[in-house]
Amino acid sequence: MFVFPKIEKITLDVSISHFLLMFGYKLFSLYFPLFLIARGLSLPQGGYTYLLIYLPIAIFAPVVGFLSGKINPAILAAFGTFGYGFYCLEMILINPAQNPILFFQAQIFLGISAALFFVSARKILISSKLENHNRAFAWFYSSPYYASAIAPAVGALVIWQFDFYGVFILGLILQFLNAVFCLSRLGAQKIPLTPFKNGEEKAGIHFLNIFKNYQKAFKKLKERNIFILLSVSFSVLILAGFYRAFFVLFLKDLNWSQNFILLFISLLSLIFIPISFFIIKRIGKTGSGKNIFQGVIITGIFSIALGGLSTLASFSTIFMAKFGQSIGGIIAGSGRSGFLSKKLKKCPEQASAIDTIFSPLGIAIGSLISGLIIGFLGFNNLFILGGIFVIITAIIGKILWRRNNTDTKN
């Protein structure tokens, strides 16, 4: 008999806010690479655009982590969602061909807004008394898939009727409503804050203290077992950068129409919803290390399959490959977040920031690498080599992990 995975109230509220954020963003994000190409940007420039979005998340995450210890993280999350809304307004007003500098600055601003939301949301989860952090983060990471089941279809209809201006206006409205939700629901949570030390109120926040606070956290992360797991999980994020920048363009290269791509993405996310409940239950019953290794291996295998089978241009084969890759990604991501939550439970600000750094930094590096090599590799070889890379990383990591555990026991 199926039992719905348990979800605590705070996890539900954070996941709803994450869903609303992603719903507003995914109204247009699926078509954003097409938007960039239509506005005259080249394939490498499309990859660099994602670099400008994700790299600022990694850079500003430590700052937001520090602030989340001084300011209610619900307020910071609300500012982040407000920033997403302002980004939609920028996309309405800025033409990338006429104002490339302003356009790329807008991508950086989106990255800063994302850092505000994701670090704060993770801080709220990590600081809360949860029965199972792996399960809580599995719910958190599932939210974008739920949004993807509906938002692209809604976005396509709006774009069809009102062009991209209409979808950006709708995204603007949704993100402002989400900001209100963050303040009302998440703001009611009692999140422990770190009091100012003597003199800090008068002298202002000394950002140099950030580096002192992170010294202890990074010293912990340098332990061999922890470093191995994080390195393995980081490889799958680099591969995610390949797909974030070029997957939709890959489907277009197969001569798929926009409506066919819409059907593919919506169906993928829609079917993923019921399957995700079983995945969440499994993640909650499995150790973080096992989740990371299995998730990375699954992602790599299906990436190779996706690149290898794409020559058949079959809807079903590409669907199954991408579906399996999505499952592997959520298993690996939940395992990493749950692992960091346990290892850095004494410093939640640093844990939330470091966990936030991993995803965008990996995707930014992946977007940069793929933008540099896509021209001579092509889509198929890019996905195949990416899959091979993460599998080799997982195998080497597993060998080192077992060897280190054996040495520790001896």
Side-chain angles (χ1 to χ4, degrees), residues 258-278:
Q258 178 173 301
N259 290 337
F260 202 55
I261 294 174
L262 166 66
L263 174 64
F264 177 89
I265 299 295
S266 298
L267 187 61
L268 179 71
S269 300
L270 189 63
I271 294 178
F272 187 85
I273 291 176
I275 301 299
S276 69
F277 300 146
F278 293 96

Side-chain angles (χ1 to χ4, degrees), residues 137-209:
F137 277 104
W139 277 114
F140 182 75
Y141 284 120
S142 296
S143 298
Y145 290 96
Y146 305 154
S148 296
I150 309 172
V154 176
L157 291 174
V158 176
I159 292 172
W160 178 59
Q161 288 290 330
F162 306 104
D163 199 25
F164 273 92
Y165 295 107
V167 81
F168 286 134
I169 291 174
L170 181 57
L172 171 69
I173 296 172
L174 286 175
Q175 299 300 1
F176 285 173
L177 291 175
N178 191 20
V180 175
F181 178 86
C182 287
L183 291 174
S184 60
R185 294 293 293 270
L186 301 182
Q189 300 295 326
K190 296 181 179 179
I191 305 300
L193 302 177
T194 304
F196 284 99
K197 296 179 181 179
N198 293 334
E200 280 191 339
E201 298 94 331
K202 296 180 180 179
I205 298 176
H206 296 164
F207 288 103
L208 290 177
N209 290 334

Side-chain angles (χ1 to χ4, degrees), residues 391-405:
I391 289 177
I392 291 176
T393 303
I395 292 174
I396 295 174
K398 188 68 173 181
I399 294 173
L400 295 175
W401 169 268
R402 287 179 175 176
R403 183 179 300 173
N404 189 63
N405 286 339

Side-chain angles (χ1 to χ4, degrees), residues 320-366:
M320 292 303 297
K322 185 58 179 173
F323 189 80
Q325 188 190 22
S326 299
I327 291 175
I330 192 173
I331 293 174
S334 301
R336 184 195 70 249
S337 294
F339 181 69
L340 285 173
S341 298
K342 294 176 182 177
K343 296 300 180 181
L344 301 178
K345 60 183 178 181
K346 294 183 179 179
C347 43
E349 292 88 10
Q350 286 70 43
S352 58
I354 291 172
D355 190 27
T356 303
I357 289 172
F358 268 90
S359 295
L361 183 60
I363 293 174
I365 293 174

Side-chain angles (χ1 to χ4, degrees), residues 114-132:
L116 283 168
F117 177 83
F118 286 106
V119 173
S120 302
R122 286 182 170 96
K123 166 65 186 300
I124 293 172
L125 284 178
I126 293 174
S127 300
S128 302
K129 294 181 180 179
L130 302 172
E131 291 184 6
N132 189 304

